[in-house]
Amino acid sequence: PDQLTTTFAALANPMRRAMLARLAQGDATVRELAEPLPISMQAVSQHLNVLERSGLISRSRNAQLRPSRLEGAALKDAVAWLEDYRRFWESSFDRLEERVHADEEDCRGV
């Protein structure tokens, strides 16, 4: 699959999104990422593998630890793709707001 598909597949899981939210605060070890989550260390490791393959995180080796780090490039591509849809929704809401105001004016004029 292409990078965007891989990114959105990784983001589809709430546990992985929670891990990314934690990594947005700074690098973390598997243990630190697992602490607040109701899943096993093995499950955390599996989720980290998915995030790493998707390019959303990188992992380094520091003695016995393998801290994870958030990587922005894959997120940047996803945001760029979503940007076109944000503009679509904003223009749709703008048109809806104009319609509501027009209807309010029509009601006051009656």
Side-chain angles (χ1 to χ4, degrees), residues 35-100:
E35 189 175 302
L37 301 175
I39 58 175
S40 69
M41 292 286 281
Q42 182 180 0
V44 170
S45 291
Q46 290 172 344
H47 284 300
L48 289 173
N49 287 334
V50 171
L51 291 170
E52 188 172 26
R53 282 192 308 268
S54 72
L56 291 167
I57 68 165
S58 61
R59 299 196 305 182
S60 61
R61 186 168 292 280
N62 182 0
Q64 297 294 328
L65 304 176
R66 288 202 63 202
S68 297
R69 170 181 304 226
L70 185 64
E71 296 294 337
L75 286 174
K76 182 181 175 187
D77 294 342
V79 168
W81 184 84
L82 288 167
E83 183 65 23
D84 290 334
Y85 295 95
R86 182 185 66 80
R87 284 192 291 269
F88 166 77
W89 280 108
E90 284 181 354
S91 68
S92 296
F93 287 134
D94 290 344
R95 287 191 308 274
L96 178 61
E97 184 178 19
E98 290 170 8
R99 178 63 190 254
V100 168

